[in-house]
Amino acid sequence: MPKSKTSKSKPVVIVAGVVLAATLLGLASYATTKPSSPSASSGASGSGGAVAEVSADPADGVYPELEAYARRDAADKLAMGRADAPVVLIEYADFKCGFCGKFARDTEPALVKKYVDAGTLRIEWRNFPIFGEESEAAARASWAAGQQGRFWEFHKAAYAPGSKEKGFGKERLTALAKEAGVADLARFARDADGSAARAAVSKDQEQGYSIGATSTPSFLINGRPIAGAQPMEAFTQAIEAAAKAAAKKSAAEKPAAEKPAAEQGKQ
């Protein structure tokens, strides 16, 4: 596996089955697995029945330097939700990862309905292909679909039950793009094989490596790392804790003139 480049943040290792809270950075990682080689064809890391523990303290297990990884770019075609949403969930995933598909089908739609649609959450995708050439090709294809505003439709088609088993060869990727409603398939093919797609995927990969991600899916929720396709409650707890912390921070930063008179009197 390629080594990560120097990053502005200290390494935060999300390692299979290791509880880093007690040993490295106070961060809990969960019972997950990682591929034995980049060409592995099975799924990547998953929950393994483990439930991520989220402290009642919204700041516990949160690393401000990792919160800065959120791009919050309103023009980001591989993101959904308000750019100024109080909480940003960053997902590092591979289209050949079975547990990534489980998250995409079982958990993500519920998070969108409960938090994205309400304006609380923004989801930012990072292509993190770790299963070889087909993973790389699928990542570039997803980016190409995004250039025509159809990333999330491609994402849904690529993670549909049984899709991974059909592989991600060139003809299959074109079929997925067509299913996703990509209008210009000729442009899609050019974009998917172009230097801009390769650069975008490489940028996402390097970000994943820089935080120590070694398996998929891996997540950051306002600087709180979560590893694996955890149960819904792990994400809701982390999102609500992050929203609470964001609200508290916003209130603290509000100019005194904007605060209620009763609140000013307490200062």
Side-chain angles (χ1 to χ4, degrees), residues 177-235:
K178 186 175 181 179
E179 182 180 344
V182 174
D184 188 339
L185 294 178
R187 177 192 168 188
F188 166 81
R190 292 194 302 272
D191 285 347
D193 197 38
S195 59
R198 296 176 190 279
V201 171
S202 178
K203 181 179 180 180
D204 285 356
Q205 281 182 310
E206 286 302 324
Q207 188 180 97
Y209 290 138
S210 75
I211 66 167
T214 58
S215 58
T216 53
S218 291
F219 306 88
L220 292 178
I221 299 178
N222 276 21
R224 181 195 300 274
I226 292 180
Q230 298 290 330
M232 176 71 174
E233 58 265 29
F235 291 95

Side-chain angles (χ1 to χ4, degrees), residues 18 21 33 65 71 74-75 85 94 114 123 138 157 166 175 186 195 201-202 251 265:
V18 178
T33 59
E65 60 270 40
R71 292 170 183 161
D94 185 317
K114 185 172 184 178
I123 297 177
K166 296 178 182 178
S195 59
V201 171
S202 178

Side-chain angles (χ1 to χ4, degrees), residues 120-138:
T120 301
L121 179 69
R122 175 175 175 82
I123 297 177
E124 295 187 356
W125 171 270
R126 302 288 188 269
N127 275 304
F128 194 57
I130 58 176
F131 293 126
E133 292 183 5
E134 283 202 351
S135 289
E136 295 269 359

Side-chain angles (χ1 to χ4, degrees), residues 30-92:
Y30 311 103
T32 61
T33 59
K34 64 179 180 179
S36 56
S37 69
S39 61
S41 60
S42 60
S45 63
S47 63
V51 178
E53 294 182 3
V54 178
S55 169
D57 180 355
D60 190 28
V62 174
Y63 300 85
E65 60 270 40
L66 295 187
E67 189 172 355
Y69 276 77
R71 292 170 183 161
R72 292 187 176 275
D73 180 358
D76 187 349
K77 295 179 172 62
L78 276 62
M80 71 165 80
R82 291 169 34 194
D84 63 348
V87 183
V88 178
L89 180 154
I90 304 174
E91 177 185 3
Y92 300 87

